[in-house]
């Protein structure tokens, strides 16, 4: 039996604009998906059980039910088995602290931890690059053509900058002085709808949106510098500006604004939509000592508030 | 005795960005400042009475109290008398529908109507350009170095585009199908503070703000086209995008967002901050038949809601 865990993520700046090759920055959270892998006896199969979903399923190559929400987990394990070249029957048990479908990279963290636990159970040491790449294949099953941000951050931890044309850069940063507070709007995310809305606006008003996207790109670059310099006030300010740009591309709404301003009024250094918008979460950056105050203010209007640290550590084999 | 009136104004797009030579668009509202001018007998003096301010004052050249809120009105009348070359004692009576200090151009409308009523009372016909220029001199007393938008729109009515380097262009438009709803945030305007905040941000992040200002400039150009084409849905959409840009330069707040989204949710074509932000009014564009519905939604959270038409007519000599 082997255990592995991987962190969830939050997008700090650049969502939506990243689609048009502007940079974005994501950070790992100290909410983790934990996965236990155990070789079984008998015929080849992968038994997947998720504590969070209260679901169990058994997958076998030809008979695997692709509609199952557990299928991507099976797929991550299968990719790992095939990569290693050992076809052992497996049991995969998932216990995740990361809320699903919240833009916090839950599926990628589970995939990364599944790959790592599977390899560890088979006594094989994969590089981080290998873990990330195998998890990405499972992400493709879930998301079609994901950017790769989620599996990269779940694998490597810390903070990374990403740009389509340039790939990933790890940011050297010490997030110790700050906390990230996430608060759920209670409105289901509608990533597809939001992406379509933003694209339509961009196509309709290229002469407005092109410079706006450039502004967003420069913002992400400035935010990367602020993170590396530990200039958290500046990062907060840039997050606030970024939020306005997301409001300009019409992915905010009344509830999101209420959360964003509640966080700022309670002393957050910055607060913004994180992810696709239209619902989902906001993220606030605070000094660590102000985390509780900001979280309390948000709890008055949000039913799910997460007080997080940035996790320097990515995927990890557990004791 | 002569009477004149002039309309108030609302900025539809481009506020703040106009400072850096981006275009802005303003429209005249069917809220009017009415001014009555009457030649008195006796020594030279200008008696000014404002019904709205419940104030009266008498001004004589050397002894004129420059601290009086009525001084700019005296000054408008004086400039007109000097321009005409007739030094008659005058009584000026003001009755304005335009809320003062609300970003609706109240002082300029009063100045324009004062100039027009004064000239009419002296039997002199001024051109609109002359009226506007004389009113501007009184605006300088109030505002230091105003753009000239307010006196221009109060004089000419309708909608105008303005750009520092290019001056004014009258937009050919028929606003009949739409209404403009203004709603007061209840937070006093702080134009100076907001202008300083925006300037500081621009100086701190030129590589973000320069393209953002370009986006705002193109937005105003697109909005001008939409107005001339009567494409009100498009104008509304552009106002929404403009609001996001104003949010990005940090002049919005929780109350403003609440008003903006209440208007949009009630069916407004667009809604945004108008003027400096930080307080003051929001403006919503609606189909005329939706005006009441949007106004009702706003009245639940704003104590001062104005349902306005765009006034094609500028300054007018009354009956």
């Amino acid at each position: 039996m082997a255990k592995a865990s991987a962190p969830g993520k939050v997008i700090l700046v650049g969502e939506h604009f990243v689609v048009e090759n502007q940079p974005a920055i994501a950070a790992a959270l100290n909410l983790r998906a934990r996965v236990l892998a155990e070789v079984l006896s008998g015929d080849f199969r992968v038994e997947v059980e998720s504590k969070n979903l209260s679901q169990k399923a058994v997958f076998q190559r030809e008979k695997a039910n692709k509609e199952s929400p557990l299928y991507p987990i099976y797929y991550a394990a299968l990719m790992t088995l095939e990569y290693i070249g050992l076809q052992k029957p497996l049991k995969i048990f998932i216990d995740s602290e990361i809320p699903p479908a919240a833009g916090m990279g839950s599926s990628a963290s589970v995939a990364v931890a599944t790959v790592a636990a599977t390899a560890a159970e088979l006594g094989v040491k994969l590089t981080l690059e290998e873990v990330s790449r195998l998890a990405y294949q499972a992400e493709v099953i879930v998301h079609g053509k994901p950017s790769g941000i989620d599996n990269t951050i779940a694998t490597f931890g810390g903070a990374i900058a990403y740009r389509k044309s340039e790939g990933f850069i790890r940011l050297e940063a010490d997030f110790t002085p700050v906390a990230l507070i996430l608060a759920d709007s209670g409105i289901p995310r509608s990533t597809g709808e939001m992406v379509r809305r933003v694209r339509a606006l961009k196509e309709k008003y290229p002469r407005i949106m092109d410079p706006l996207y450039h502004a967003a790109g420069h913002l992400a670059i400035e935010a990367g510098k602020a993170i590396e310099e530990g200039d958290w006030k500046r990062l907060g300010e840039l997050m606030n500006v970024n939020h306005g740009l997301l409001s300009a591309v019409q992915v905010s709404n009344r509830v999101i604004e209420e959360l964003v301003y509640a966080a700022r009024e309670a002393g957050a250094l910055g607060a913004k939509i994180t992810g696709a918008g239209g619902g989902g979460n906001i993220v606030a950056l605070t000094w660590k000592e102000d985390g509780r105050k900001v979280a309390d203010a948000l709890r008055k209007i949000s039913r799910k508030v997460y007080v997080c640290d940035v996790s320097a550590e990515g995927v990890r084999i557990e004791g």
Side-chain angles (χ1 to χ4, degrees), chain A residues 30-192:
Chain A
N30 63 340
L31 299 174
R32 299 183 77 87
R34 292 171 215 288
V35 172
L36 189 152
E38 189 172 14
V39 170
L40 302 174
S41 57
D43 291 340
F44 178 74
R45 67 197 182 283
V46 180
E47 297 181 14
V48 182
E49 181 175 353
S50 163
K51 190 181 165 190
N52 310 81
L53 298 177
S54 302
Q55 281 198 34
K56 250 184 185 171
V58 181
F59 298 91
Q60 281 171 296
R61 298 185 173 287
E62 301 74 26
K63 287 172 270 176
N65 172 16
K66 294 191 178 183
E67 305 304 316
S68 164
L70 302 179
Y71 180 81
I73 301 167
Y74 153 72
Y75 195 80
L78 182 70
M79 288 298 99
T80 310
L81 292 171
E82 289 193 348
Y83 185 74
I84 291 170
L86 282 169
Q87 299 302 301
K88 300 264 178 122
L90 270 187
K91 158 102 189 165
I92 303 287
F93 179 81
I94 314 291
D95 181 7
S96 177
E97 300 164 359
I98 309 163
M104 289 156 84
S106 166
S107 68
S109 308
V110 169
V112 165
T114 299
V115 170
T118 301
E121 173 68 356
L122 298 176
V124 174
K125 190 151 179 50
L126 298 178
T127 64
L128 292 178
E129 284 73 16
E130 288 172 316
V131 171
S132 186
R133 206 168 54 236
L134 287 164
Y136 182 77
Q137 296 183 31
E139 281 286 275
V140 168
I141 299 292
V142 187
H143 295 298
K145 210 185 156 193
S147 66
I149 293 176
D150 290 12
N151 52 284
T152 303
I153 201 82
T155 304
F156 292 91
I160 55 161
Y162 166 76
R163 188 170 194 167
K164 249 188 189 176
S165 58
E166 294 171 28
F168 297 96
I169 303 167
R170 205 178 154 77
L171 299 175
E172 292 305 321
D174 175 9
F175 279 84
T176 313
V178 289
L180 294 171
I181 322 285
L182 285 89
D184 193 312
S185 65
I187 302 167
R189 283 191 316 151
S190 46
T191 305

Side-chain angles (χ1 to χ4, degrees), chain A residues 16 101-103 183-191 193-194 197 243 250-257 259 272-283:
Chain A
H16 280 296
D184 193 312
S185 65
I187 302 167
R189 283 191 316 151
S190 46
T191 305
E193 188 196 330
M194 291 300 125
R197 182 186 293 189
H243 179 73
Q250 308 301 304
V251 299
S252 190
N253 60 39
R254 193 210 290 237
V255 178
I256 287 172
E257 294 298 334
L259 291 167
K272 62 183 278 293
I273 291 168
T274 181
N281 281 294
I282 67 124
V283 60

Side-chain angles (χ1 to χ4, degrees), chain A residues 234-262:
Chain A
R234 197 175 178 96
L235 178 63
E237 195 166 60
L238 290 164
M239 288 169 67
N240 289 345
V241 175
N242 194 160
H243 179 73
L245 298 180
L246 291 167
S247 164
V249 297
Q250 308 301 304
V251 299
S252 190
N253 60 39
R254 193 210 290 237
V255 178
I256 287 172
E257 294 298 334
E258 212 185 327
L259 291 167
V260 160
Y261 283 99

